[in-house]
C-alpha cells in the first residue's frame, strides 16, 4: 500500500514500506526497508525520487489518485539505482508534461535504463536552483555517494534536505519520523553508513563540506526514517564516521620510468591523492636511483605502485631490472598495482602487472576495488592516454584515494 503523509507545507511522503526480508547488495535486510518518494504539491507539482522497480505499477497507480499526472512538471532523480529510480519509466509514460531533473550522468543512465531518449531533461550543475512555484530547490552534485551520477536536493523555504541514499536507514516502519520511532535508530543508522557509504569516505567529506553551508531542519532520505528531530546529530555522525584513521603511519612507494614525462605526471597525481588521504609516499624515477635504495624502500612500503611509458610494446629504461628484484622479495601483506601512460598502445602496463602478479603481494585490480570499496569508476591497472588532461589527473587522484581506502581498511 502506498501512503501519503505530510512532512511540511505542501510536501508529502509518498513512499512504500517493504517489510519483507529484502535481498539487497548481497545482503538480506532482516528489518526490511522503505522506499521514500516525495511529492511537492506546489504551483509546479514535483516528485523527488520514486520507489523500487518491483513496486512501480502500484506506486504510479496510487500517485494518479493523489494528483492528475498530466499536472506534474518535474521529476527530480537524485540517484539512478532501481530502488529509487525504478518507477521513472512507468511514471514518465503517464506524466507527459514532466521534465526530469538530474545530473548529466543521471540523464545518460536514465536513457540507457528506460529508453527515455524523447523525454524532457533539465540537466543540473552543482549549485543550480529551480523555482517550482512556491518553493525553490537547490541541487548539489555528490558524485560517488555511492555512484557517479548522485546529487542531493535542498528545499530552501522548507529547509529540508532530500539526499536519497545518504543519511538513510534500512528499517521497514510506519512511524516515518525518527522522533516517532519505537527505539533508538542510531545503531541502524551507523550500520547503513558502514555498509553503503563507508567505502566512499573521501566523497562523504566532500558532501559534508557542501551541505554545511545549508540551514537544515530536516533530512528526508530515500530509505528508512525521516530525520526531523536533531538532524544535525546525524550530520555530525557522518562527519565522525568518515574521519580518517591517521594513526597507521602507512607508506607508499611509487616507482616509475618515464619517456616524455607523462608517466611522471600520472605518478604525481597519484601522490596528490595519497597525500589527501594522509598516506606518506615517495616517488622514485628508477633511472636516477640506486637498486639498494629502491629495495630498501620497497621493504618498508605498505603499497608499491609501478609505472612505465610504453615504447615498442614494452617498458622503458631499467624498470624491468627493478621488477625482477621485486619478485625475489617477500611482499606478503603489501599491496601493489601498475600504472602508466601510453600513445597508440599500452603493453608496458600489462607487463608490469605480470611481474607484480608473480610476487606474493596483493595486486589491486578493478575487480578487487569494486568488491572491497564499491569504486566502480576506477580501473586498475591505471592507463592514461597521452598527456594527462584535467579529467585524467582527477581520475588518478580518485584512484589513489580508492587504493588508500583499501590500505586503511586492511
Amino acid at each position: 500500500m502506498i501512503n501519503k503523509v505530510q512532512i511540511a507545507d505542501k510536501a508529502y511522503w509518498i513512499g512504500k514500506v517493504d517489510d519483507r526480508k529484502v535481498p539487497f547488495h548481497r545482503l538480506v535486510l532482516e528489518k526490511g526497508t522503505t522506499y521514500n518518494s516525495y511529492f511537492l504539491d506546489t504551483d509546479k507539482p514535483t516528485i523527488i525520487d520514486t520507489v523500487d522497480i518491483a513496486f512501480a505499477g502500484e506506486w504510479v497507480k496510487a500517485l494518479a489518485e493523489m494528483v492528475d499526472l498530466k499536472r506534474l512538471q518535474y521529476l527530480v532523480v537524485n540517484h539512478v539505482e532501481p530502488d529509487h529510480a525504478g518507477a521513472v519509466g512507468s511514471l514518465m509514460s503517464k506524466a507527459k508534461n514532466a521534465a526530469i531533473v538530474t545530473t548529466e550522468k543521471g540523464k545518460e543512465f536514465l536513457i540507457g535504463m528506460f529508453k527515455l531518449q524523447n523525454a524532457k531533461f533539465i540537466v543540473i550543475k552543482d549549485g543550480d536552483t529551480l523555482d517550482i512555484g512556491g518553493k525553490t530547490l537547490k541541487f548539489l552534485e555528490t558524485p560517488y555517494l555511492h555512484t557517479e551520477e548522485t546529487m542531493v536536493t535542498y528545499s530552501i523555504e522548507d529547509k529540508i534536505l532530500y539526499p536519497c541514499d545518504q543519511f538513510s536507514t534500512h528499517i521497514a516502519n510506519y512511524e516515518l519520523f525518527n522522533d516517532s520511532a519505537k527505539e533508538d535508530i542510531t545503531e541502524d543508522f551507523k550500520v547503513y553508513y558502514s555498509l553503503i557509504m563507508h567505502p566512499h569516505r573521501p566523497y562523504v567529506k566532500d558532501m559534508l563540506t557542501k551541505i554545511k553551508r545549508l540551514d537544515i531542519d530536516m533530512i528526508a532520505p530515500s530509505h528508512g526514517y525521516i530525520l526531523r528531530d536533531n538532524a544535525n546529530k546525524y550530520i555530525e555522525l557522518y562527519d565522525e564516521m568518515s574521519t580518517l584513521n591517521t594513526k597507521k603511519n602507512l607508506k607508499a612507494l611509487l616507482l616509475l620510468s618515464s619517456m616524455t614525462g607523462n608517466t611522471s605526471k600520472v605518478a604525481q597525481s597519484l601522490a596528490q591523492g595519497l597525500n589527501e588521504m594522509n598516506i606518506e609516499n615517495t616517488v622514485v624515477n628508477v633511472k636516477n636511483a640506486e637498486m639498494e635504495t629502491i629495495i630498501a624502500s620497497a621493504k618498508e612500503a605498505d603499497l608499491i605502485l609501478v609505472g612505465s611509458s610504453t615504447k615498442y610494446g614494452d617498458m622503458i629504461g631499467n624498470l624491468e631490472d627493478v621488477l625482477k628484484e621485486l619478485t625475489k622479495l617477500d611482499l606478503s601483506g603489501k599491496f601493489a598495482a601498475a600504472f602508466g601512460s601510453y600513445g597508440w598502445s599500452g603493453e608496458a602496463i600489462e607487463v608490469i602487472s605480470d611481474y607484480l602478479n608473480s610476487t606474493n603481494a596483493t595486486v589491486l585490480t578493478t575487480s578487487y576495488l569494486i568488491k572491497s570499496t564499491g569504486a566502480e569508476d576506477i580501473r586498475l591497472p591505471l592507463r592514461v592516454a597521452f598527456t594527462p588532461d584535467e579529467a585524467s589527473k582527477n581520475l588518478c587522484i580518485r584512484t589513489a584515494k580508492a587504493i588508500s581506502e583499501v590500505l586503511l581498511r586492511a
Side-chain angles (χ1 to χ4, degrees):
M1 178 181 178
I2 306 295
N3 295 313
K4 178 181 177 183
V5 179
Q6 188 166 9
I7 66 170
D9 180 43
K10 297 183 179 180
Y12 302 88
W13 175 86
I14 51 168
K16 171 69 178 180
V17 178
D18 189 352
D19 55 10
R20 305 169 299 156
K21 293 184 177 181
V22 182
F24 187 85
H25 286 252
R26 292 183 60 82
L27 304 169
V28 175
L29 304 179
E30 297 290 339
K31 295 184 177 181
T33 193
T34 65
Y35 308 108
N36 299 340
S37 175
Y38 301 94
F39 172 46
L40 307 184
D41 193 8
T42 57
D43 294 340
K44 300 176 183 179
T46 299
I47 301 292
I48 299 179
D49 294 318
T50 68
V51 296
D52 188 86
I53 194 168
F55 305 105
E58 175 187 356
W59 180 80
V60 171
K61 181 179 179 181
L63 183 60
E65 295 174 359
M66 301 175 196
V67 60
D68 179 356
L69 297 183
K70 293 179 181 178
R71 288 187 57 234
L72 290 178
Q73 295 297 299
Y74 302 112
L75 169 60
V76 176
V77 180
N78 285 315
H79 176 37
V80 180
E81 270 197 309
D83 54 333
H84 305 301
V88 169
S90 299
L91 176 60
M92 293 305 293
S93 69
K94 307 285 187 184
K96 300 293 188 180
N97 297 314
I100 300 172
V101 183
T102 191
T103 61
E104 185 66 53
K105 275 292 179 183
K107 175 183 177 181
E108 176 187 328
F109 294 167
L110 287 166
I111 289 174
M113 287 175 64
F114 299 110
K115 312 301 181 189
L116 294 170
Q117 290 87 344
N118 297 322
K120 293 181 288 185
F121 282 90
I122 297 175
V123 174
I124 67 94
K125 296 187 182 301
D126 196 53
D128 282 355
T129 59
L130 178 67
D131 181 354
I132 62 170
K135 297 182 189 291
T136 308
L137 302 182
K138 183 181 182 70
F139 307 102
L140 299 173
E141 294 185 83
T142 57
Y144 311 109
L145 290 179
H146 55 114
T147 50
E148 187 177 4
E149 85 292 353
T150 310
M151 69 180 192
V152 301
T153 300
Y154 175 66
S155 179
I156 294 175
E157 290 80 8
D158 295 332
K159 300 182 181 179
I160 298 176
L161 183 70
Y162 297 95
C164 204
D165 272 339
Q166 300 165 62
F167 300 102
S168 285
T169 49
H170 276 314
I171 306 175
N173 76 89
Y174 293 91
E175 298 84 35
L176 192 59
F177 300 100
N178 66 314
D179 53 332
S180 300
K182 296 174 181 177
E183 57 186 29
D184 187 354
I185 69 165
T186 303
E187 192 57 35
D188 289 296
F189 183 83
K190 290 180 177 179
V191 167
Y192 181 97
Y193 176 92
S194 176
L195 292 175
I196 306 299
M197 294 298 160
H198 185 270
H200 311 282
R201 286 189 301 176
Y203 304 108
V204 173
K205 283 292 189 183
D206 293 343
M207 176 273 294
L208 291 174
T209 298
K210 291 182 179 183
I211 69 166
K212 282 182 177 177
R213 302 171 188 151
L214 307 176
D215 185 7
I216 299 172
D217 284 346
M218 183 187 301
I219 301 175
S222 287
H223 287 301
Y225 287 98
I226 294 173
L227 308 173
R228 71 177 178 186
D229 178 55
N230 198 4
N232 193 57
K233 166 189 171 181
Y234 298 94
I235 295 173
E236 290 175 353
L237 279 173
Y238 258 45
D239 197 5
E240 176 186 320
M241 292 186 291
S242 63
T243 299
L244 295 171
N245 178 0
T246 58
K247 297 179 181 179
K248 287 192 173 184
N249 298 317
L250 296 168
K251 296 182 179 180
L253 174 65
L254 293 83
L255 302 172
L256 69 98
S257 186
S258 188
M259 187 164 56
T260 62
N262 289 339
T263 297
S264 180
K265 291 175 182 177
V266 173
Q268 294 300 328
S269 294
L270 287 168
Q272 180 180 337
L274 293 168
N275 286 332
E276 291 180 17
M277 298 291 283
N278 297 309
I279 306 294
E280 180 183 341
N281 62 85
T282 304
V283 179
V284 176
N285 188 326
V286 299
K287 177 183 177 181
N288 306 317
E290 297 292 333
M291 187 68 75
E292 292 79 8
T293 302
I294 293 172
I295 298 306
S297 297
K299 289 179 178 179
E300 292 182 1
D302 301 285
L303 168 68
I304 302 172
L305 302 178
V306 185
S308 176
S309 307
T310 296
K311 182 179 182 181
Y312 302 135
D314 205 352
M315 298 174 290
I316 65 169
N318 61 332
L319 185 62
E320 188 158 20
D321 294 332
V322 173
L323 286 165
K324 288 178 179 178
E325 291 301 315
L326 290 181
T327 64
K328 300 175 184 178
L329 300 179
D330 179 9
L331 302 182
S332 58
K334 301 180 187 294
F335 293 92
F339 68 93
S341 66
Y342 66 98
W344 59 92
S345 64
E347 295 90 341
I349 303 162
E350 303 305 322
V351 175
I352 293 169
S353 291
D354 290 341
Y355 269 106
L356 294 178
N357 281 318
S358 70
T359 72
N360 61 348
T362 299
V363 180
L364 299 174
T365 62
T366 299
S367 175
Y368 190 102
L369 283 183
I370 289 174
K371 288 183 284 191
S372 60
T373 71
E376 73 275 8
D377 62 305
I378 303 299
R379 298 290 177 263
L380 284 177
L382 174 64
R383 302 161 57 87
V384 176
F386 301 107
T387 302
D389 57 14
E390 199 62 32
S392 297
K393 291 176 183 177
N394 289 334
L395 174 62
C396 293
I397 292 169
R398 294 203 310 273
T399 299
K401 288 183 174 182
I403 291 172
S404 298
E405 280 295 328
V406 172
L407 266 67
L408 290 163
R409 298 174 69 181

